Amino acid sequence: MVLVPVWTRSRRHAVVVGVWFALNPVVFPAPADQRAWATRAMLGEELWIVARPKDAALAVNAAATGAGLVALVAARRRRPVPAGAATVAQMLLLLVYWELMARYFEAHRDAGEGCWS
């Protein structure tokens, strides 16, 4: 979604994407439990952001950010293959990052006890 307004150079598209990003956190209810992988990944990221360890997750997150920037530049230049390849790379890196965050949550869940009731 982020690439669409860059590619089309449309303010209207940028507003739609911006509104979605603003509404997304409040549209969906809190998870009922912590069994889902995505829930554990997001809760792990909350813990990880507070602790800010210099670990593999930091490098993976930086690489995903770099891939996202490459995708934005390629979209601005209207280069579909590099934009698509960089987006795929970013998504794969984000999945690796989320797995690391889910593992971080499993290892450090006691540090956030009471935060998610």
Side-chain angles (χ1 to χ4, degrees):
M1 285 179 50
V2 174
L3 299 184
V4 171
V6 176
W7 187 282
T8 63
R9 295 166 176 80
S10 168
R11 289 178 193 247
R12 187 176 59 119
H13 292 156
V15 168
V16 169
V17 171
V19 167
W20 170 248
F21 282 135
L23 290 176
N24 189 345
V26 296
V27 169
F28 298 102
D33 55 50
Q34 299 171 358
R35 287 181 292 177
W37 175 77
T39 299
R40 292 191 317 274
M42 296 307 107
L43 294 175
E45 184 176 40
E46 289 178 8
L47 290 173
W48 184 81
I49 286 172
V50 170
R52 273 300 182 195
K54 304 225 181 333
D55 58 6
L58 184 62
V60 172
N61 193 21
T65 300
L69 291 173
V70 169
L72 283 171
V73 169
R76 176 77 177 139
R77 295 178 179 170
R78 292 187 173 151
R79 301 285 197 198
V81 173
T87 300
V88 167
Q90 181 186 26
M91 293 298 103
L92 290 173
L93 287 164
L94 283 174
L95 288 172
V96 170
Y97 173 74
W98 289 341
E99 175 60 24
L100 292 171
M101 292 299 100
R103 291 179 186 179
Y104 190 87
F105 177 71
E106 293 297 328
H108 299 89
R109 80 169 61 204
D110 293 338
E113 194 103 2
C115 294
W116 308 295
S117 34

